[in-house]
Amino acid sequence: MTMTAGWYLRRLSRMGPREVGGRIGDAVRRRRWRSAPPDCPSTTGARFTAVLPAKTLAAVPPDAAKRLIAEADRLMAGHATYFGVDRDDLADPDWWYDPRTGRRAPWGYAFDVPYRDEDVVGDIKQIWELSRHQYLTVLAAAYALTRDERYAERVAEHLRLWWAANAPLRGVHWISGIELGIRLLSWVWIRRLLDGWPGAAGLFEDNPVALNQIWHHQRWLAAFPSRGSSANNHAVAETAGQFAAACAFGWFPSSARWRADALRSLERHLRANTFGSGLNRELATEYHGLVLELGLAAVAEADAAGVPVPGAVRLVLLRMTDALAAIVDNRLRPPRQGDADDGYGLVVDGAGTDRWGSLLATGDAVFGRLSWWPTVTGTDVRTPLLAALIRPYAQQRTVTRPASRPAHFADAGMTVLRGPEEIWCRCDGGPHGFLSIAAHAHADALSVEVRHDGVDVLADPGTFCYHGQPLWRQYFRSTLAHNTLQLDGGDQSVSGGPFLWTRHARTRVLAVDTADGNVARWCAEHDGYQRSVHRRRVELTASDKELRVIDEVRGPLRPARLAFHLGPAVTADLSGNRAVLTWARDGEERSAVLELPGELSWRAHRGETDPPLGWYSGGFGRKEPSTTLIGTGFADGARGFTTVLRFRG
């Protein structure tokens, strides 16, 4: 996906003078850095001291260890799956190869590589993912738990191959700061988990090639921070990786300065990326998880190195953890909101480990669980490792945590209505993303997401892709791809590119009432459609197991489409304006009736491609057909549309 001159003008229009000045400085620096990179300063007496405390590994639950080792053995056999693509070449990987398109990224000065152009480079997400080296943290963790040197030797072999093949500032792996930051964090944990292996020091602190790579990664991150309208989760990853490396690999003349600068930046960006309520400002749940993981990993390095951390850092992470505990459903699934790219901050677990349960388990160990938190029954490897390094949070008297489970997050515009039979409903009345470009936002104002016992009934379809497939990127973040009302066939907010919105719908929540034990209510409106205002009311009645959605449009008569996307497990029998929904959960048949507005003409769509409609993306790079019900007609101030979902049984 190449960027046109028009895109650059639209992108420039979303920047302030300070950001423009910073980017001009970056451009000058990139030109200057074309010459041969400087040599890493010499170091003497480098030692790695940020080791795990004694008996940490003994605290890893046996079933979590078993999953990890199974994953490590799969990696040793050369197999892995990234973004829906199975790979069998990990025994001897090609670091620039994209298995999805079959293309290989070109070599050259990093900032000359057109990484957004899939026709030239391939799918950059596929290429970058392997070089985050999180599969190597899994192998290193397997060594730590088993002391089987096969795992350590494979890690050492691949690191040496990567370092030899990816010289500083050459190739695609030196383009994006988030990749460098996460890679540094992986290297810190690889060195920690290999401690005790005879070759560990020779791989890292006694290895001039490793020292050169670590130094150049930190030099790069200090020079090219994400700025202004781009200072979202990328900035957190950059500063967390820089800080972790400066703590654990503090062997260079610049280490103290890098550490201090990164810690200041980490505090600033954690606070900027997080609402006071604890929810992530991007309103993209997977990035909430990523930022929380990165923040916890950074604090672990600080405590391991004895570096004082501002209280604001721990407080933000505490609030993020409490917010996560508040919004998950009864199966510990958080909302599917905004972009999601399957990105993790630290991976030391095998397949089948629940990410959100793991984060809540770590939160329990570090901050202490509240009485209303959901119970976490699963296990993981990461929690005992992080908990061994992070000192327990000493709660200040001025810090107030929620006495009961929050249902409404006013600053984020998120409301969760809960009913019997594990009915869970998220209502979206929040801002359109974060910062001026709202890079990871979807045009989903006033959308609802409904689950029954963890099963998507009215689903958020997800993300699927970022680069290279513009038609699919446009669809999955469009208004029509969400459970809300579309007018005039357009989106509520105006897109200027795959990570750029040039006009943002403004949404405001008008009323929330979750105090009544039987009926929970929510009402909000947005101004995304010129000359019209869309208002939606949602009522969940516990005694009737009924969800009622009322849509009103104030303004002139306009063509309208009302969409309801069903989860992939749900089948629909549509007759007129009535749909009978059925699905299975734990071998038991479940059902509901969806009474749709009779003022609209209804049709079911499934797996259509021209244009796309009726799809669900369970993870980045993956999609499957699902049923979407579309009602077509007209809307104006004289009429409203009422939809009723009744769960049976």
Side-chain angles (χ1 to χ4, degrees), residues 313-363:
V313 170
R314 296 182 198 269
L315 180 58
V316 168
L317 300 177
L318 165 66
R319 287 178 172 158
M320 291 183 73
T321 307
D322 280 342
L324 176 62
I327 62 177
V328 294
D329 64 21
N330 68 305
R331 300 278 180 151
L332 301 186
R333 292 184 62 214
R336 287 166 52 88
Q337 183 181 27
D339 273 348
D341 71 350
D342 296 358
Y344 286 75
L346 173 64
V347 181
V348 288
D349 275 286
T353 301
D354 179 59
R355 176 185 200 171
W356 310 105
S358 171
L359 278 170
L360 292 177
T362 303

Side-chain angles (χ1 to χ4, degrees), residues 22 214 218 237 285 319 325 336 352 373 408 411 450 453 492 529 606:
I214 293 168
Q218 294 189 81
T285 308
R319 287 178 172 158
R336 287 166 52 88
W373 274 29
H408 177 58
D411 48 11
V450 181
D453 197 14
Q492 308 150 337
Y529 299 119
R606 184 177 179 86

Side-chain angles (χ1 to χ4, degrees), residues 181 184-185 234-245 262 266 294-295 297-298 301:
L184 277 177
L185 187 59
H234 284 234
V236 177
E238 292 159 9
T239 56
Q242 174 84 306
F243 178 71
L266 179 66
L294 292 167
E301 296 309 323

